[in-house]
Amino acid sequence: MSLNDAQNRAVETVDGPVLIIAGAGSGKTRVIVHRILNLIRKGVPPHEILAITFTNKAAKEMRERVAALLSGDAGMNRPVFMNERPFVSTFHALGVHIIRENAHRLGLTRHFTIYDRGDSRRAIKESMEQCSVDPKRFDPGTVLNMISRAKGDGFSHIEYADRADGYLEEIVAQVWEKYDAILARDKALDFDDLLLKTAQLLSGNEDIRKRYSSIWRYIHVDEYQDTNRVQYKIARSLAAEHRNICVVGDADQNIYSWRGATIENIMNFEKDYPEATVVTLERNYRSTKTILAAANSVIEKNRVRKKKTLFTENESGDKIGLIVAYTESDEARMVADTARSLIADGASAKEIAVLYRTNFQSRAIEEAFIKKSIPYQLVGVRFFERKEVKDVLSYIRAALNRESWSDVGRIINVPARGIGKATVAKIMAKMEDSLPQGMREKIAGFWKLLEDIRREAEEKKPSETVRFVIQETGIERSMKDGDPDAEERLFNVRELASVAAQYDHLPGLQGIEALLENAALATDQDELQKDDDVVKLMTVHASKGLEFDHVFIAGMEQDLFPLKHLDEKDVNEAEEEEERRLFYVALTRAKKKVYLSYAVLRTVYGAQRINAPSEFLDDIDPSLIEGQEPEKPSGAKALFIDF
C-alpha cells in the first residue's frame, strides 16, 4: 500500500531480468528492499538472494532496512527464516568473499593481504626501481592509475603488454609485471584485483561459476550505471544460470567515467537480456516542482540516456536563487551570508550543502565560513591539509628554517630525487660527508634550491614565491601528465598562488610569514567535524547519493562548470554530456531550495580571469530563477564586466 504503481510493478516482477530506471529521489532503495521482502514472502530462501551496491554505507543501510522489514512482517515463516539473511554487500566485499573461499586457485591463503592505496604506491615505486624507470619522468601515481583503469577494464598485465601502444604503455606494462610479482611475493591483492580476480575465477572455472550461480538465484545490482567492465562481467557470470537479475540505475547519473564506469552497461542491458522487463520510476519524492523543472530542462539535452521526465506531488517551492559576485571571495562571502541567514531563520545547518566542481574552490568558501563563524565540515581533506599544498608550504618553511627537519624530510624527495630515508637520517646526524659523491651532489642541489627559494621569498611577492616553488622544484612538471588525480592536485597548488596573492601588499618577508601563519591556523578546525549539525562542503561527485534541504552550487562559470580540462582545446561530446549529468546530480540533491552562484572575476594561478556564466544557466527557464545583482566588491578593487 505504501508503493506507487511503478514501484509496485518493480517489486512484483520477480522472475527474469528486470531493468529499473530509477530517477533521482524516486525511492530506489525502498524498491530494492521491498522486492527482497516480496521474494522471501513468495518462498525464496533469503540466502539465495544477492544484493550488490557501491559503498559500505549504502550496503549497511540496505541490510538494516531489509532486516527491519523481515522482523516487522507478521506473515513471515519465523521457524524457517529466523536466522537467514540475504547477502548484501559491495562489489569489493563480494570479491573478498569469493576469493577467500577459492584462495588456493589463486595461490593465496584465506588470510591474504589487501593492499590499500598507500601500499600500492609503495609497491609501484619499488617496481619502477626494478625496471630502472625514472620517477621524475613517469609519476608513480599516474602509472598506478593506468594499471587500475586497465584492471577495471578486465585486462591482466600480459594482455595489457600484448596491446601496449606507445612508449608510455610499454613502460607501464613492464612496471605492472614487477608490481604483480611484488603482490604475489606478499600474498596480496590490491583493490582492483578483488574485482579482476573474482571475474577471472568465475569466467575461467565453470565449477566455481555454477556453484555461486546456484547459491544466489536472485541478483540485484544497485547504481548499475556506475559499474565498470569487470563488475559487469561478475554480475553477468552470476546471472548466467537463472537470468534472475534486477539492475537499478539511472543513465542520467553516470558521472564516474574517469574511474572506469561505463554508461554502456545500463544502455545495453536490453540487448544483453532481450526478455527484460523495464520499469521506469519517474515520481520524485525529494524535490520541489521548481527544482525538477530545472533538472529536467538541463538533462533532456543529452542524447545518450534512457528517456524519462521526473515529476512530483510536492509543492512548487521557491525559485532558484542566483548569486552573482565580482570575485570568488565575494562569491564565498555571499554564499556564507545566505547560509547564515537560513540558519538564523530556523534551518538546520546539517541540511545545508555547498557543492563545487573542483576541490580548489573550497579554499575561498572555507575562509568565508571561518570568518562568519559558521560551523562546517569539509567532506574530504581541507585545502591546507592536502598533501600537494602542504608540500609547497613545507618548501617555503624549510627554506626559511633549515632546522625544520620535519619539513626537510617531507620534501627532500618530492618530486622524487633518489634521496631515501636512510640518507635523510645521515644528514640529520651530520654525517653527510660519509655519503657517496653522487648523493652529496644531489643533496647540495637540494640545499641550493632551498637557498633560491629563500632569496625569492625575501625579494619577491608571496604569490611569485609560490609560483617559483611550484615551477623550480618540479612539482608542476610532475603533475602535467593528463591524469585526473594529478590534474586536481595541480589545480590545488595553483590555487595556493591565488591565496598567496592576498598578502602581496605586505613588505619583505611579512607577506610570506602571514601566509604560513594563516595557513596553519586555518587547518586547526578538527573540532567542527565532530559536530553533526554543520554545513557540508563537498564536490558534486562526493554529494552523489545524498540529499539536503538547501543546496548551493558554486562556480557556475564556463570552463569551470562545465569544466574544461587543462591544456584541452576541445571537449568531446561524451565529456560534455557527463558534465551535464554532473550538474543534474547537483540540482537533484536539493529538497527545498537551490542557489546557483558564479564570480565575474576568479583568480586562477595568481592571475585574475574574466568569466562568462555557465552555459547550464541558459538551459533553465528564466521564470524559475530569481536573480541577484552583485554587491560592491569587498577588499581589493575589481573590474566588473557586464556580459
Side-chain angles (χ1 to χ4, degrees):
M1 296 294 293
S2 61
L3 304 175
N4 64 41
D5 290 344
Q7 290 175 330
N8 197 58
R9 185 178 174 220
V11 167
E12 291 292 338
T13 308
V14 295
D15 292 318
V18 179
L19 168 61
I20 302 176
I21 301 172
S26 62
K28 66 180 180 64
T29 303
R30 182 178 182 82
V31 168
I32 295 172
V33 297
H34 275 83
R35 193 173 190 275
I36 291 172
L37 174 66
N38 189 44
L39 283 167
I40 295 173
R41 294 182 69 178
K42 288 180 178 296
V44 177
H47 69 262
E48 294 185 359
I49 301 171
L50 172 67
I52 314 170
T53 187
F54 271 78
T55 67
N56 291 326
K57 178 184 176 183
K60 180 175 181 291
E61 178 188 356
M62 192 174 292
R63 279 192 294 267
E64 290 173 348
R65 291 176 68 168
V66 168
L69 283 177
L70 290 177
S71 62
D73 193 311
M76 197 63 65
N77 189 334
R78 301 295 171 195
V80 176
F81 299 127
M82 185 178 294
N83 297 319
E84 289 190 11
R85 289 290 184 269
F87 193 101
V88 181
S89 79
T90 63
F91 266 105
H92 287 88
L94 174 67
V96 171
H97 177 81
I98 293 176
I99 291 170
R100 278 183 176 158
E101 292 191 341
N102 301 276
H104 62 286
R105 299 283 189 102
L106 298 172
L108 300 170
T109 68
R110 280 186 58 86
H111 305 292
F112 64 90
T113 299
I114 300 173
Y115 270 15
D116 62 18
R117 190 73 174 177
D119 295 326
S120 292
R121 284 184 65 91
R122 173 188 53 76
I124 287 291
K125 289 177 182 178
E126 183 179 341
S127 303
M128 292 175 70
E129 291 174 4
Q130 293 178 12
C131 296
S132 299
V133 175
D134 186 355
K136 287 186 284 188
R137 289 191 62 196
F138 302 96
D139 176 58
T142 299
V143 174
L144 178 58
N145 284 337
M146 291 179 69
I147 293 173
S148 176
R149 181 63 180 268
K151 286 185 177 182
D153 287 339
F155 292 105
S156 66
H157 82 263
I158 296 174
E159 294 167 329
Y160 185 87
D162 288 342
R163 62 185 287 277
D165 182 18
Y167 184 60
L168 176 59
E169 290 190 359
E170 290 174 358
I171 291 294
V172 171
Q174 294 174 30
V175 174
W176 188 349
E177 182 177 7
K178 300 296 185 184
Y179 175 60
D180 271 3
I182 292 172
L183 286 166
R185 178 197 69 192
D186 292 351
K187 292 290 188 292
L189 299 177
D190 64 17
F191 270 29
D192 299 299
D193 285 330
L194 298 180
L195 302 179
L196 180 60
K197 299 299 184 183
T198 299
Q200 291 173 346
L201 279 171
L202 294 172
S203 63
N205 301 274
E206 187 64 9
D207 59 324
I208 294 177
R209 188 197 64 76
K210 283 189 174 182
R211 179 188 170 204
Y212 290 106
S213 290
S214 65
I215 292 174
W216 296 311
R217 294 194 301 117
Y218 291 86
I219 299 165
H220 303 76
V221 183
D222 192 15
E223 302 287 8
Y224 194 64
Q225 79 280 347
D226 291 334
T227 52
N228 62 22
R229 288 180 171 83
V230 169
Q231 290 161 333
Y232 166 84
K233 290 178 180 178
I234 292 172
R236 191 164 171 80
S237 293
L238 293 174
E241 202 76 21
H242 302 286
R243 299 179 73 83
N244 294 324
I245 180 170
C246 173
V247 303
V248 186
D250 181 8
D252 292 338
Q253 297 186 68
N254 169 261
I255 59 174
Y256 294 113
S257 65
W258 50 274
R259 69 182 189 193
T262 171
I263 199 171
E264 295 173 1
N265 292 347
I266 194 167
M267 296 300 294
N268 293 335
F269 186 81
E270 293 163 86
K271 293 181 180 178
D272 294 334
Y273 303 94
E275 75 275 28
T277 299
V278 180
V279 181
T280 304
L281 306 181
E282 295 178 290
R283 180 176 175 180
N284 176 284
Y285 291 88
R286 175 187 301 156
S287 307
T288 65
K289 288 184 173 70
T290 296
I291 294 170
L292 291 189
N296 285 331
S297 64
V298 165
I299 202 62
E300 67 183 12
K301 284 196 168 185
N302 276 9
R303 293 192 311 107
V304 182
R305 62 188 296 255
K306 298 281 188 179
K307 289 190 176 181
K308 67 179 183 311
T309 302
L310 295 182
F311 70 93
T312 186
E313 300 299 326
N314 296 338
E315 61 183 6
S316 295
D318 295 337
K319 289 187 176 183
I320 293 172
L322 180 62
I323 298 173
V324 182
Y326 284 95
T327 68
E328 72 271 20
S329 296
D330 293 322
E331 177 194 34
R333 174 179 52 80
M334 294 165 75
V335 167
D337 283 341
T338 306
R340 187 168 61 177
S341 295
L342 288 170
I343 295 171
D345 290 340
S348 173
K350 65 183 178 183
E351 287 297 336
I352 301 173
V354 182
L355 312 182
Y356 34 84
R357 177 60 182 85
T358 62
N359 272 312
F360 82 85
Q361 294 172 255
S362 70
R363 189 269 311 167
I365 297 170
E366 280 187 270
E367 288 187 356
F369 273 69
I370 291 171
K371 288 178 181 178
K372 301 291 182 180
S373 299
I374 303 171
Y376 74 93
Q377 178 180 350
L378 188 67
V379 179
V381 181
R382 288 187 303 278
F383 179 77
F384 289 115
E385 289 188 343
R386 295 184 177 109
K387 178 186 180 302
E388 59 274 14
V389 173
K390 292 178 75 171
D391 288 344
V392 175
L393 294 174
S394 282
Y395 266 109
I396 298 172
R397 281 194 292 263
L400 297 178
N401 178 13
R402 290 285 191 92
E403 299 301 313
S404 179
W405 289 108
S406 61
D407 288 314
V408 170
R410 178 185 182 89
I411 45 84
I412 196 169
N413 206 39
V414 176
R417 299 183 178 88
I419 303 175
K421 293 180 180 179
T423 300
V424 174
K426 288 188 177 182
I427 297 172
M428 293 176 65
K430 309 298 183 182
M431 298 172 59
E432 195 170 325
D433 291 341
S434 67
L435 296 170
Q437 177 65 26
M439 183 59 68
R440 292 203 302 272
E441 290 175 359
K442 289 182 181 179
I443 295 167
F446 173 75
W447 292 132
K448 182 180 183 303
L449 175 61
L450 291 187
E451 189 59 37
D452 291 342
I453 293 171
R454 180 184 179 86
R455 188 179 306 111
E456 192 79 7
E458 291 173 340
E459 299 174 358
K460 301 290 181 65
K461 296 176 180 179
S463 62
E464 293 174 323
T465 301
V466 171
R467 284 198 290 268
F468 181 87
V469 172
I470 294 169
Q471 293 165 2
E472 296 303 314
T473 61
I475 287 176
E476 184 174 56
R477 289 192 301 275
S478 72
M479 295 177 181
K480 279 189 171 181
D481 50 29
D483 173 71
D485 290 340
E487 182 178 88
E488 186 74 31
R489 295 194 296 273
L490 183 55
F491 270 125
N492 289 334
V493 294
R494 286 181 169 180
E495 177 67 357
L496 184 59
S498 301
V499 176
Q502 299 176 20
Y503 308 98
D504 281 354
H505 64 285
L506 296 173
L509 283 172
Q510 290 182 30
I512 208 74
E513 290 169 349
L515 168 65
L516 295 175
E517 178 182 346
N518 290 337
L521 293 176
T523 60
D524 192 20
Q525 299 291 323
D526 289 339
E527 68 277 3
L528 294 179
Q529 296 193 13
K530 298 174 183 177
D531 183 0
D532 186 50
D533 193 26
V534 297
V535 178
K536 302 298 190 297
L537 313 182
M538 68 187 82
T539 64
V540 180
H541 282 100
S543 74
K544 181 75 161 44
L546 303 176
E547 59 180 32
F548 304 90
D549 286 346
H550 309 277
V551 171
F552 294 84
I553 308 174
M556 293 300 303
E557 299 145 26
Q558 197 65 18
D559 296 340
L560 181 55
F561 201 3
L563 180 67
K564 181 179 180 182
H565 296 278
L566 293 173
D567 303 323
E568 188 175 72
K569 295 181 180 179
D570 298 308
V571 180
N572 62 45
E573 185 177 359
E575 291 173 337
E576 288 179 347
E577 294 210 347
E578 181 152 345
E579 287 293 308
R580 193 173 295 278
R581 292 194 294 269
L582 195 57
F583 183 48
Y584 173 81
V585 166
L587 286 171
T588 54
R589 298 311 92 201
K591 294 189 279 187
K592 296 181 178 179
K593 176 88 173 182
V594 170
Y595 298 87
L596 306 176
S597 67
Y598 69 89
V600 175
L601 297 173
R602 185 174 296 274
T603 305
V604 178
Y605 199 23
Q608 283 193 326
R609 184 176 70 186
I610 300 174
N611 303 302
S614 170
E615 65 186 71
F616 294 154
L617 296 176
D618 294 331
D619 295 337
I620 301 174
D621 188 330
S623 67
L624 300 175
I625 300 176
E626 49 187 7
Q628 179 180 336
E629 290 299 318
E631 298 177 1
K632 183 178 180 180
S634 62
K637 183 171 66 177
L639 174 66
F640 175 59
I641 306 297
D642 187 357
F643 291 100

